[in-house]
Amino acid sequence: MKPFLIFILCSVTCNCAYGIAAEETPIIFPDTCPKTEYNPNNLASSIIQDIKTSVLLAECLLANSTNYPDYYRPHDGEEFDFIIVGSGSAGAVIANRLSEVPSWRILLLEAGGNPEETTEIPGLYGALQKTRYDWQYHTDSAEDNCLAMVNNSCFWPRGKVLGGSSTINGMIYVRGNKEDYNGWARAGNEGWDYESVLKYFKKSENIEAEEVLRHNNYKHFHGEGGYLTVGSFIDDYVKDLVNAHTKGMEELGYKANYDYNGESQTGFAKLQGTIVGSRRCSTAKAFLKEFTTRKNLLVSRYSLATKVLIEKDLKTAQGVKFLNYNNEEITVKAKKEVIISAGAINSPQLLMLSGIGPKQHLEELGIDVIEDLPVGHNLQDHMLMTGLLFSYNFSRPLKTLTDRMYEYLMSPSTSQLSSTGMLSYSGFINTVDAVSDIPDIQTHHYDIDVNDTSLLTSALAGFGIRDEIIKSFLDINSKRFVTPVMPTLLKPHSRGRILLRSTNPKDKVKILTSYLTDEHDVETLLRATEFLSKLAATKGMELLDTKFHEIVSPACSKYVVSSRDFRICSLKHFVTTCYHPTSTCKMGPADDPTSVVNPQLQVKGVRHLRVADASIMPDIVRGNTNAPSIMIGEKAADLVKQTWS
């Protein structure tokens, strides 16, 4: 069925609230769901109508927007106790926890709208990129990275929707390594060591992952009864692939690890996910959806924050300016604090637009400098290598996407769309010391059926890879089942930067990744590539006749494939983002000149202003960044309560 027709059916029959027509205009549809009308004189027709109604009802229940807080439209000059900018992995958590205090009035500003049907379905996570749920950022082109991508620019998706990136990501729940947080504490960030932050991970969590619950000591590491459900991905469709990988990894010294968030991180792991009942569990669902009765929590959607209002003499944050869905500029006041939780790109942008940032850069743009801080510096990201491929002598039963969708609506627990396939497994390895419990590489995988050119093309185009290079992948896939196998650098040494492009808040920032500018990163990824070539040759992987492929970019064809020079060239072409930008508003103690916020997440030199999201990480964690961002939100809320209670 055409997407437009699906929308028409839903608008007539479901209580949906979609921001379409104009990009910033929410449209509210009738509060009604379909009902079956039984016709005793035409049984066949009644059954067919029942099927239609069942499908429409399932769709309606899939993304019922009236379950989320009502649309709130602040009036100019309105006062609140706290204003939170950004409803993502941290912001939604903070809004929930602060609204536990009934006397506090909370305003949550979100530039996007509500989650909708596609956001709910695990197997469709990739379809959310380059849509209106996504800020659709691109890196600035450089001579030494992203060279296989269109315009030599890597695509950086970020969530522009209630729940932020937790609403469009791959739902993988990885906290990182204990040493990450102990390292933060050693750098002077008191209260951010592993044992201190573990209670905040547990506070959010409602652990339902079966492979975790089988371990007797899981309660030391995991929480029960929290708002965020952490469950298991369905893996029936990739069991043979998983068995081969498990055996191959064991031959190379890595055992299966079914709780990498527990005692030990390394090994070949079945990943835990932010899923509940075969659906996504974003922070919007976990921390906002069930709390609509809290009248002190007000959510203003389609609201682009443009400036934090700061009293210059006292250097005190007093409120926020934002553009509403009608492009009107609205000013709202904060009696206590402004909390920026807009992410590693938007948070530094908003600070710099407000006069907080590197003095020289702001003065070049004519922005009055309120506080000279290294905002936008220290950008870190997990680099992911996209030019490697495993192929197998393997096949599985195929269904059309339409059949899969029908099965998902009627019986989600058995549907392939409840699964993310091989993405729900990772290898955590140390390329220098196999017995170390501190990994430097995490592997990510997709699984693509033989000659499934549309899915493979879509996945590679999502990274921005050029069509003529995608053809090399398709040639291999035309004959064999494939998994793009993507080693991901967990502890990058390279540091990038976020810069303003102009003083217009609607202009996207400059993203200078500086990928591969540190030789440590190059060497680690080279070792990871060699590890994968050895993995493909193990006896376990030979069970599926596994072959290892290194895609040849035209510019690298002058080198011998698999040689050091070839692989370095390939890294410069195929390395891209793992969707984990962090550290652009670095947390550090008072004597750290490279930091932006203190360990209480207060912006240095400015009163009543905090930043709380992935941007405050002093160093990126060894794993997917959604779970740590939620933890940061939990701890930030406690810090705020300690200040104002």
Side-chain angles (χ1 to χ4, degrees):
M1 185 177 290
K2 299 292 186 182
F4 179 74
L5 295 179
I6 293 175
F7 162 72
I8 292 296
L9 282 170
C10 187
S11 68
V12 171
T13 61
C14 300
N15 48 347
C16 304
Y18 291 156
I20 66 161
E23 182 183 354
E24 304 297 332
T25 306
I27 299 174
I28 312 299
F29 291 112
D31 184 12
T32 178
C33 275
K35 298 178 182 178
T36 300
E37 294 184 6
Y38 178 64
N39 180 358
N41 297 317
N42 192 337
L43 179 59
S45 177
S46 292
I47 294 172
I48 292 169
Q49 290 302 315
D50 187 47
I51 292 172
K52 292 179 181 178
T53 302
S54 296
V55 171
L56 291 172
L57 178 60
E59 180 192 11
C60 195
L61 298 176
L62 185 62
N64 189 334
S65 62
T66 59
N67 287 337
Y68 292 101
D70 293 337
Y71 283 75
Y72 188 78
R73 297 173 175 84
H75 62 75
D76 196 45
E78 191 170 358
E79 284 191 337
F80 304 86
D81 291 289
F82 297 94
I83 299 171
I84 303 165
V85 179
S87 71
S89 298
V93 179
I94 298 169
N96 176 298
R97 297 303 188 186
L98 296 188
S99 67
E100 292 173 343
V101 182
S103 62
W104 287 349
R105 196 162 180 254
I106 317 299
L107 177 65
L108 179 60
L109 296 174
E110 169 53 49
N114 277 342
E116 298 167 9
E117 290 97 333
T118 307
T119 69
E120 289 286 303
I121 304 171
L124 296 183
Y125 70 93
L128 298 166
Q129 296 184 18
K130 303 182 181 179
T131 67
R132 59 196 175 96
Y133 316 115
D134 177 8
W135 283 95
Q136 302 186 41
Y137 289 112
H138 288 85
T139 66
D140 283 56
S141 60
E143 295 180 357
D144 55 1
N145 63 69
C146 302
L147 301 182
M149 316 304 174
V150 175
N151 298 323
N152 293 352
S153 171
C154 285
F155 180 64
W156 273 27
R158 295 283 86 199
K160 187 181 182 183
V161 59
L162 212 63
S165 294
S166 77
T167 301
I168 71 168
N169 66 8
M171 295 153 283
I172 296 171
Y173 185 84
V174 182
R175 296 172 178 174
N177 194 273
K178 299 173 187 177
E179 181 59 22
D180 296 327
Y181 304 102
N182 292 335
W184 292 4
R186 285 196 299 272
N189 296 294
E190 185 178 352
W192 291 89
D193 59 281
Y194 175 72
E195 286 301 324
S196 295
V197 302
L198 178 59
K199 68 178 181 180
Y200 291 110
F201 282 116
K202 293 171 68 175
K203 182 179 181 179
S204 290
E205 188 179 32
N206 178 36
I207 186 65
E208 291 188 351
E210 293 178 1
E211 61 275 10
V212 174
L213 297 177
R214 288 195 293 264
H215 293 260
N216 293 330
N217 67 337
Y218 76 90
K219 290 186 179 181
H220 177 74
F221 299 102
H222 294 277
E224 296 178 299
Y227 299 141
L228 182 79
T229 297
V230 176
S232 302
F233 292 98
I234 293 173
D235 61 2
D236 294 344
Y237 302 92
V238 292
K239 281 192 178 296
D240 289 339
L241 294 172
V242 170
N243 290 338
H245 277 258
T246 302
K247 292 176 181 177
M249 290 287 286
E250 286 180 346
E251 289 179 49
L252 297 179
Y254 293 95
K255 295 182 179 180
N257 183 351
Y258 293 105
D259 190 12
Y260 53 89
N261 286 320
E263 186 64 41
S264 173
Q265 186 181 11
T266 54
F268 187 63
K270 181 176 182 179
L271 299 175
Q272 300 149 34
T274 51
I275 51 177
V276 55
S278 301
R279 297 180 183 178
R280 176 188 299 274
C281 188
S282 66
T283 56
K285 180 180 292 184
F287 293 93
L288 300 178
K289 183 176 179 181
E290 303 302 326
F291 300 91
T292 56
T293 58
R294 292 185 186 171
K295 301 304 180 185
N296 63 332
L297 174 55
L298 305 165
V299 182
S300 181
R301 299 163 179 78
Y302 304 101
S303 301
L304 176 65
T306 59
K307 188 175 185 179
V308 178
L309 300 173
I310 300 172
E311 203 288 320
K312 193 169 184 179
D313 292 335
L314 298 177
K315 292 188 178 181
T316 302
Q318 296 183 324
V320 174
K321 283 186 177 182
F322 72 92
L323 296 175
N324 68 10
Y325 60 92
N326 284 331
N327 208 37
E328 300 166 329
E329 186 174 75
I330 303 294
T331 297
V332 285
K333 300 293 184 63
K335 291 188 286 185
K336 288 183 169 63
E337 283 192 27
V338 173
I339 303 166
I340 302 176
S341 297
I345 299 175
N346 295 77
S347 287
Q349 180 184 26
L350 182 57
L351 284 176
M352 288 189 284
L353 288 171
S354 307
I356 301 170
K359 181 178 180 180
Q360 181 179 349
H361 177 52
L362 299 188
E363 287 179 341
E364 288 172 351
L365 292 169
I367 297 173
D368 289 338
V369 179
I370 291 174
E371 192 68 19
D372 181 11
L373 292 172
V375 173
H377 290 253
N378 196 44
L379 172 63
Q380 298 170 47
D381 183 28
H382 290 143
M383 297 175 228
L384 177 145
M385 171 58 171
T386 61
L388 307 175
L389 201 67
F390 286 166
S391 71
Y392 315 87
N393 181 17
F394 175 70
S395 64
R396 60 189 176 191
L398 297 178
K399 292 183 179 180
T400 66
L401 186 56
T402 302
D403 288 338
R404 293 179 191 177
M405 178 60 76
Y406 180 77
E407 183 182 21
Y408 181 84
L409 291 173
M410 298 297 100
S411 180
S413 63
T414 62
S415 171
Q416 192 170 344
L417 289 182
S418 297
S419 168
T420 57
M422 282 298 291
L423 188 68
S424 62
Y425 283 82
S426 275
F428 294 95
I429 65 172
N430 187 302
T431 58
V432 176
D433 181 4
V435 300
S436 171
D437 191 41
I438 303 177
D440 56 11
I441 288 290
Q442 177 182 357
T443 58
H444 290 91
H445 322 79
Y446 295 147
D447 50 295
I448 311 291
D449 290 293
V450 179
N451 206 33
D452 192 347
T453 56
S454 59
L455 181 58
L456 182 55
T457 299
S458 176
L460 297 172
F463 290 119
I465 297 175
R466 297 197 303 271
D467 289 344
E468 67 270 22
I469 298 177
I470 289 177
K471 185 179 182 300
S472 298
F473 291 85
L474 298 181
D475 288 344
I476 299 168
N477 180 228
S478 66
K479 303 176 184 67
R480 289 168 63 87
F481 190 108
V482 300
T483 60
V485 54
M486 299 167 286
T488 304
L489 185 67
L490 290 180
K491 210 64 177 174
H493 288 72
S494 302
R495 297 291 185 268
R497 188 174 175 187
I498 299 292
L499 292 166
L500 294 178
R501 202 172 297 277
S502 75
T503 58
N504 184 346
K506 290 188 174 181
D507 283 350
K508 290 185 170 66
V509 296
K510 296 180 180 179
I511 302 174
L512 309 178
T513 68
S514 297
Y515 285 158
L516 304 171
T517 53
D518 191 295
E519 283 301 313
H520 288 90
D521 298 342
V522 175
E523 294 302 324
T524 303
L525 285 167
L526 289 176
R527 292 194 300 271
T529 302
E530 184 60 25
F531 176 90
L532 292 172
S533 70
K534 292 178 180 177
L535 176 61
T538 59
K539 293 179 180 178
M541 296 290 274
E542 284 179 358
L543 295 174
L544 296 178
D545 186 30
T546 305
K547 299 185 185 304
F548 179 60
H549 305 269
E550 299 181 64
I551 301 300
V552 180
S553 176
C556 302
S557 60
K558 59 186 176 183
Y559 302 112
V560 176
V561 175
S562 300
S563 67
R564 177 181 173 85
D565 288 341
F566 171 82
R567 288 179 172 173
I568 291 174
C569 181
S570 290
L571 290 175
K572 293 178 179 180
H573 281 72
F574 288 107
V575 158
T576 185
T577 182
C578 194
Y579 316 123
H580 301 159
T582 70
S583 308
T584 50
C585 301
K586 179 185 176 183
M587 174 175 62
D591 60 355
D592 180 2
T594 68
S595 63
V596 174
V597 300
N598 63 23
Q600 289 72 47
L601 307 186
Q602 297 160 322
V603 174
K604 293 184 173 182
V606 182
R607 299 172 66 241
H608 300 175
L609 179 63
R610 295 188 209 234
V611 179
D613 54 35
S615 71
I616 66 93
M617 294 183 186
D619 291 293
I620 195 168
V621 297
R622 292 174 173 87
N624 308 65
T625 52
N626 187 45
S629 298
I630 295 170
M631 176 276 291
I632 290 168
E634 289 280 18
K635 184 170 173 65
D638 265 11
L639 293 171
V640 172
K641 287 179 176 180
Q642 290 165 15
T643 299
W644 295 100
S645 295

